[in-house]
């Protein structure tokens, strides 16, 4: 069975995994653990642990258990002041961290409960915060603050020395395809590739490196970005020429939805600039990879996963 490793965090990675898990692929999902919002922030403060929210979300996306268990895991206590807004899955993962001492021992227990094939790995076991350096050299501390920052962020780093998860380095070495998921470029994808050991392992790997491009821009992060601009930012951390392929949408999004996103969320469709990608020696895999769910634009999980699987099965990989 072919092996993939996919880097991301939060909703973007979860959406990808819902489709990929349906194919005969050995999946290792690597998740950033620097989220500092909502329930996760309170748990980090109370227990001095890395962020659990994105990991629990990704575990749920890979789960093969029945819907009753899924509903239970996603349940949040909304009436309680002490438990307010904590989900069962976040509390369970926190409890397992308390019992087992680290993610390496805690995640497999929850994965077994959720009937998961494949692996979910944190990029690090360290409890660290993201720091963004703005264009005028100001430091913005914390993922939430970086997301809300109106100044351009020119660099992402951690607030202290962080050690890469050795299981991640092993999975990179064994992978037949290395994927960088759609999702927030600055706070979901890049936190995985600011660790020297991870970048070195990726550069040494002979596996193709695929980027699944976002459908729309993110205000303050990727305004006016085309597909090639996303890759240029990734390669500021990975090294020029690291990305060999990109999977991008090439079908026009309905005008009324484009207007809604532009007006309400200040987001615009990411345009596919094939000429620039050709000049960068990047192979483009293009198709309609979006779907609309309840008025929300999302990656089509099944279509995107099928295209990834097709790439993986090519004879030259």
């Amino acid at each position: 069975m072919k092996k993939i490793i996919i880097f991301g965090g939060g909703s973007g990675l979860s959406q990808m995994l819902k489709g990929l898990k349906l194919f005969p692929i050995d999946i290792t999902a690597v998740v950033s653990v620097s989220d500092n919002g909502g329930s996760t922030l309170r748990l980090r403060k109370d227990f001095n642990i890395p962020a659990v929210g994105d990991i629990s979300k990704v575990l749920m996306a890979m789960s093969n258990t029945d819907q009753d268990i899924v509903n239970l895991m996603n349940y949040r206590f909304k009436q309680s002041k002490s438990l307010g807004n904590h989900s069962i899955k976040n509390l369970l993962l926190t409890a397992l961290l308390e019992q087992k001492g680290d993610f390496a021992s805690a995640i497999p227990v929850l994965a077994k409960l959720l009937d998961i094939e494949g692996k979910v790995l944190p990029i690090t076991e360290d409890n660290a915060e993201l720091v963004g350096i703005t264009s005028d050299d100001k430091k913005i501390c914390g993922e939430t603050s970086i997301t809300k920052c109106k100044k351009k962020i020119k660099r992402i780093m951690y607030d202290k020395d962080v050690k890469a998860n050795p299981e991640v380095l092993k999975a990179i070495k064994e992978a037949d395809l290395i994927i960088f998921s759609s999702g927030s470029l600055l706070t979901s994808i890049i936190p995985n590739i600011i660790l020297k050991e991870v970048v070195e392992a990726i550069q040494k790997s002979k596996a193709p490196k695929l980027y699944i491009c976002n459908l729309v821009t993110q205000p303050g992060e990727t305004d006016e970005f085309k597909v090639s601009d996303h890759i240029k930012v990734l390669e500021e951390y990975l090294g020029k020429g690291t990305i060999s392929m990109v999977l991008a949408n090439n079908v026009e999004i309905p005008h009324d939805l484009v207007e809604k996103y532009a007006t309400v969320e200040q987001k615009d469709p990411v345009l596919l600039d094939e000429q620039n990608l050709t000049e960068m020696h990047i192979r483009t895999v293009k198709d309609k990879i979006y779907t609309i769910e309840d008025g929300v634009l999302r990656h089509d999980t099944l279509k995107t996963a099928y295209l990834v699987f097709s790439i993986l099965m090519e004879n030259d990989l």
Side-chain angles (χ1 to χ4, degrees), residues 156 184-195 233-234 237:
I156 295 289
S184 170
L185 200 61
L186 294 187
T187 57
S188 289
I189 315 303
I190 288 174
N192 294 293
I193 55 173
I194 52 179
L195 301 181
V233 171
L234 286 172
Y237 299 85

Side-chain angles (χ1 to χ4, degrees), residues 123-141:
I123 188 65
T124 182
E125 292 274 1
D126 296 330
N127 187 11
E129 293 284 359
L130 277 188
V131 175
I133 308 298
T134 66
S135 54
D136 57 354
D137 291 323
K138 295 287 192 289
K139 285 187 176 182
I140 307 297
C141 297

Side-chain angles (χ1 to χ4, degrees), residues 49 92-110 112 125:
I49 56 174
L92 277 177
L93 188 49
T94 301
L96 285 165
L97 277 172
E98 285 276 282
Q99 285 186 335
K100 301 293 185 178
D102 56 26
F103 279 124
S105 303
I107 290 175
V109 179
L110 193 52
K112 183 178 180 181
E125 292 274 1

Side-chain angles (χ1 to χ4, degrees), residues 114-241:
L114 294 173
D115 188 19
I116 289 172
E117 295 179 13
K119 291 182 180 179
V120 177
L121 300 174
I123 188 65
T124 182
E125 292 274 1
D126 296 330
N127 187 11
E129 293 284 359
L130 277 188
V131 175
I133 308 298
T134 66
S135 54
D136 57 354
D137 291 323
K138 295 287 192 289
K139 285 187 176 182
I140 307 297
C141 297
E143 181 179 313
T144 303
S145 298
I146 292 169
T147 302
K148 293 178 180 178
C149 180
K150 294 182 180 179
K151 295 180 181 179
K152 182 171 179 59
I153 303 291
K154 68 176 182 180
R155 196 74 184 168
I156 295 289
M157 55 192 292
Y158 285 115
D159 64 343
K160 62 182 182 182
D161 289 337
V162 170
K163 185 178 179 181
N165 184 343
E167 286 297 310
V168 171
L169 303 180
K170 181 174 181 285
I172 293 170
K173 187 176 180 180
E174 296 175 352
D176 296 298
L177 180 64
I178 297 172
I179 304 174
F180 303 96
S181 172
S182 61
S184 170
L185 200 61
L186 294 187
T187 57
S188 289
I189 315 303
I190 288 174
N192 294 293
I193 55 173
I194 52 179
L195 301 181
K196 183 180 178 181
E197 310 101 299
V198 172
V199 173
E200 287 177 349
I202 290 170
Q203 290 174 340
K204 286 179 182 177
S205 170
K206 294 181 180 179
K209 287 83 178 177
L210 169 70
Y211 171 52
I212 302 175
C213 192
N214 290 340
L215 299 170
V216 293
T217 60
Q218 288 188 282
E221 287 191 23
T222 58
D223 295 303
E224 300 181 358
F225 268 36
K226 297 180 176 65
V227 172
S228 66
D229 296 311
H230 288 77
I231 293 171
K232 288 173 183 175
V233 171
L234 286 172
E235 291 191 340
E236 286 178 14
Y237 299 85
L238 290 168
K240 192 173 181 180

Side-chain angles (χ1 to χ4, degrees), residues 251-265:
V251 175
E252 188 174 347
I253 298 166
H255 180 71
D256 58 339
L257 194 58
V258 171
E259 287 290 311
K260 173 187 169 184
Y261 269 83
T263 304
V264 178
E265 300 187 35

